[in-house]
């Protein structure tokens, strides 16, 4: 009986430690008194646990707090160098690996070119490149507390299985990465990771009901309801890119016709620019690409747009209008207070946000749009990485260190 009581005490103690770490991660450095009030435990108990966490390397004294009189209290914070989180942000054409310390500072990062489409060996690629990257940075794998991977596709919220981009082992990516690297691993749909990143570190911090649209090589929608990422039954909520906007339109990669993705993605933009130039349309793009159509990229198109190129501005107007129409449906369904525009094409700034806003003004009921803001992400293309970092940290601290 005594052993059972001791084990229960240890479990409670372990849970409280995890709660302390999560609080320091979310709120930053704090004092024993403040932490005790938040986690509803006595100051002596909190002080003892903080000392134990300091001995284990997780926590350290980072300064002193303010006091109206008497001795100033010690501030405790996470030891940023105690561990690291590896994140991967994967699109259809590239991957970005970012290594974060425990204070969400970027320690190192690297971009990789690879094709996700028709590539069933991407799990082994991620594992191999992660090992190589850690070796290059002289980081022992034992210091990695978790790996977070976000990517396009229908990803089951419970298992992590990607129904859209399957691997040759036909298993959840997170399970394979855990097997290859021997660390906890987590997977999320990219739009949901963006929404999570915006809530923790970006524009959505002070908002509860938010739509974060990712306009990249696909189109996805991250949904925040009452401050939490909305998943739906299986985790598939937010596939805005696959609502039909052209009944007699082009065939989409999903097998349906006329999806939003057939008229609004980065790939569509590049193709449309090339088609218009082939028809004889004058554009600064020809000058920027040295007359070589095959070298036209999204970077050149966005640069030309900001330089006032008429063709590129017209195309962004068309894309923004289609996105605004689709978002009007989402606005009527979820009644958000903020829409955050993210992804590659968000770099066009006002050239895409203005037509989005104009379409929403046109197709939404006034009562919905009167309480709605539309903003471009300040995190830019780092929102997904920050989201995966936050997701890993919070799940690690909730489940155990």
């Amino acid at each position: 009986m005594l052993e059972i009581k001791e084990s229960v005490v240890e479990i409670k103690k372990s849970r409280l430690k995890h709660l302390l770490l999560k609080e320091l991660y979310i709120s930053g450095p704090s004092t024993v008194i403040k932490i005790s009030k938040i986690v509803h435990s006595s100051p002596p108990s909190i002080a003892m646990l903080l000392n134990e966490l300091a001995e284990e390397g997780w926590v350290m004294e980072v300064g002193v707090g303010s006091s109206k009189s008497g001795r100033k209290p010690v501030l405790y914070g996470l030891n940023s160098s105690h561990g690291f989180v590896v994140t991967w942000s994967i699109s259809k054409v590239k991957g970005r690996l970012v290594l974060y310390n425990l204070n969400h500072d970027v320690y190192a990062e690297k971009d990789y070119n690879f094709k996700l489409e028709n590539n069933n060996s991407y799990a082994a690629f991620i594992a191999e490149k992660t090992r190589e990257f850690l070796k290059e940075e002289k980081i022992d794998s034992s210091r990695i507390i978790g790996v977070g991977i976000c990517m396009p596709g229908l990803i089951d919220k419970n298992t992590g299985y990607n129904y859209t981009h399957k691997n040759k082992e036909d298993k959840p990516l997170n399970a394979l990465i855990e097997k290859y690297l021997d660390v906890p691993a987590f997977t999320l749909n990219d739009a949901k990771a963006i929404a999570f990143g915006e809530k923790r570190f970006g524009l959505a911090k002070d908002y509860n009901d938010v739509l974060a649209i990712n306009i990249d090589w696909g189109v996805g929608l991250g949904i925040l309801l009452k401050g939490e990422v909305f998943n739906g039954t299986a985790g598939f909520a937010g596939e805005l890119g696959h609502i039909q906007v052209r009944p007699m339109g082009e065939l989409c990669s999903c097998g349906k016709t006329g999806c939003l993705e057939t008229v609004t993605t980065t790939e569509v933009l590049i193709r449309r620019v090339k088609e218009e130039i082939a028809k004889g349309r004058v554009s600064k793009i020809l000058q920027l690409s040295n007359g070589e159509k095959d070298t036209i990229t999204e970077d050149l198109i966005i640069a030309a747009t900001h330089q006032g190129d008429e063709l590129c501005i017209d195309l962004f107007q068309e894309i923004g209008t289609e996105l605004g129409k689709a978002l009007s449906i989402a606005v009527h369904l979820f009644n958000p207070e903020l829409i955050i525009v993210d992804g590659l094409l968000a770099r066009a700034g006002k050239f895409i946000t203005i037509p989005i806003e104009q379409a929403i003004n046109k197709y939404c009921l006034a009562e919905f749009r009167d309480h709605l803001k539309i903003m471009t992400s300040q995190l830019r293309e780092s929102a997904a990485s920050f989201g995966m970092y936050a997701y890993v940290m919070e799940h690690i601290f909730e489940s155990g260190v």
Side-chain angles (χ1 to χ4, degrees):
M1 181 65 70
L2 180 59
E3 290 181 2
I4 294 175
K5 286 184 178 178
E6 287 179 347
S7 65
V8 171
V9 170
E10 287 301 314
I11 290 172
K12 289 182 177 179
K13 181 179 176 181
S14 177
R15 286 176 178 171
L16 190 52
K17 276 187 175 181
H18 303 153
L19 191 58
L20 292 181
L21 291 171
K22 186 176 179 180
E23 172 58 25
L24 290 174
Y25 151 71
I26 291 175
S27 302
S30 190
T31 65
V32 169
I33 297 299
K34 287 183 179 179
I35 296 172
S36 67
K37 291 178 180 178
I38 292 171
V39 302
H40 306 293
S41 186
S42 68
S45 296
I46 296 301
M48 179 189 70
L49 293 176
L50 285 171
N51 286 332
E52 289 184 12
L53 287 168
E55 290 176 3
E56 295 168 10
W58 285 99
V59 171
M60 62 188 296
E61 295 182 8
V62 296
V64 293
S66 59
S67 176
K68 293 181 180 179
S69 63
R71 185 178 177 182
K72 293 183 177 180
V74 174
L75 281 174
Y76 292 90
L78 292 177
N79 179 2
S80 63
S81 61
H82 181 68
F84 297 91
V85 172
V86 172
T87 69
W88 278 88
S89 300
I90 296 174
S91 72
K92 291 182 179 180
V93 298
K94 71 174 184 178
R96 170 171 289 180
L97 189 162
V98 182
L99 185 67
Y100 291 94
N101 66 19
L102 299 189
N103 281 337
H104 61 77
D105 299 316
V106 175
Y107 184 86
E109 59 187 324
K110 189 172 183 178
D111 289 328
Y112 297 89
N113 291 319
F114 76 99
K115 295 285 187 181
L116 182 59
E117 295 291 333
N118 302 315
N119 176 9
N120 64 4
S121 61
Y122 63 84
F125 175 90
I126 291 170
E128 178 188 355
K129 295 306 177 184
T130 299
R131 292 193 201 98
E132 291 177 1
F133 180 83
L134 294 176
K135 187 175 181 180
E136 291 170 4
E137 296 298 328
K138 297 180 173 57
I139 300 293
D140 192 275
S141 60
S142 63
R143 299 178 68 191
I144 304 302
I145 68 170
V147 177
I149 305 162
C150 66
M151 61 190 301
L154 299 175
I155 299 177
D156 189 291
K157 69 175 183 178
N158 297 310
T159 65
Y161 186 81
N162 193 323
Y163 288 88
T164 307
H165 300 287
K166 299 179 181 180
N167 51 67
K168 62 182 179 183
E169 295 88 350
D170 198 31
K171 293 181 179 179
L173 177 59
N174 48 304
L176 291 173
I177 296 302
E178 287 184 358
K179 175 185 174 183
Y180 292 150
L181 300 179
D182 195 27
V183 294
F186 307 86
T187 52
L188 270 184
N189 169 270
D190 50 2
K192 292 178 178 61
I194 286 171
F196 205 77
E198 292 290 350
K199 181 59 183 175
R200 292 292 181 265
F201 302 106
L203 293 173
K205 278 194 290 187
D206 298 322
Y207 296 87
N208 288 315
D209 301 312
V210 178
L211 301 178
I213 184 167
N214 180 30
I215 319 164
D216 206 276
W217 297 93
V219 176
L221 190 68
I223 305 165
L224 290 170
L225 297 179
K226 296 182 180 179
E228 300 293 331
V229 174
F230 177 67
N231 289 294
T233 300
F236 304 153
E239 285 296 324
L240 189 71
H242 295 290
I243 64 169
Q244 190 182 67
V245 295
R246 301 277 177 85
M248 302 301 291
E250 297 179 14
L251 180 68
C252 181
S253 60
C254 71
K256 310 296 184 183
T257 57
C259 291
L260 183 64
E261 284 196 2
T262 65
V263 294
T264 57
T265 65
T266 301
E267 184 178 2
V268 171
L269 175 65
I270 295 171
R271 189 189 74 229
R272 289 286 310 281
V273 167
K274 291 179 178 179
E275 288 174 350
E276 292 299 316
I277 288 175
K279 294 176 184 177
R281 185 85 180 262
V282 177
S283 172
K284 187 180 284 289
I285 283 290
L286 285 173
Q287 177 185 341
L288 295 176
S289 63
N290 296 318
E292 297 291 334
K293 285 198 302 179
D294 291 340
T295 64
I296 294 174
T297 64
E298 69 276 9
D299 291 332
L300 291 183
I301 295 172
I302 291 169
T305 302
H306 286 292
Q307 292 176 31
D309 183 76
E310 185 178 326
L311 168 60
C312 296
I313 291 173
D314 285 347
L315 292 177
F316 270 114
Q317 176 73 35
E318 292 179 21
I319 288 174
T321 299
E322 291 292 346
L323 289 168
K325 287 181 181 179
L327 281 168
S328 295
I329 299 172
V331 168
H332 284 130
L333 291 173
F334 298 108
N335 190 22
E337 51 194 327
L338 174 65
I339 293 176
I340 301 173
V341 181
D342 210 305
L344 277 175
L345 298 193
R347 287 167 23 206
K350 64 182 180 182
F351 294 102
I352 194 162
T353 57
I354 288 176
I356 287 175
E357 188 168 3
Q358 288 174 335
I360 289 175
N361 287 339
K362 182 177 180 180
Y363 296 105
C364 276
L365 295 174
E367 290 79 5
F368 284 85
R369 65 174 188 258
D370 288 345
H371 302 282
L372 178 64
K373 296 179 182 177
I374 302 172
M375 304 172 72
T376 304
S377 174
Q378 295 175 347
L379 296 176
R380 300 174 70 86
E381 292 169 58
S382 296
S385 292
F386 273 116
M388 285 315 307
Y389 163 79
Y391 190 83
V392 170
M393 289 284 281
E394 293 177 31
H395 277 72
I396 290 292
F397 289 156
E398 284 173 1
S399 61
V401 181

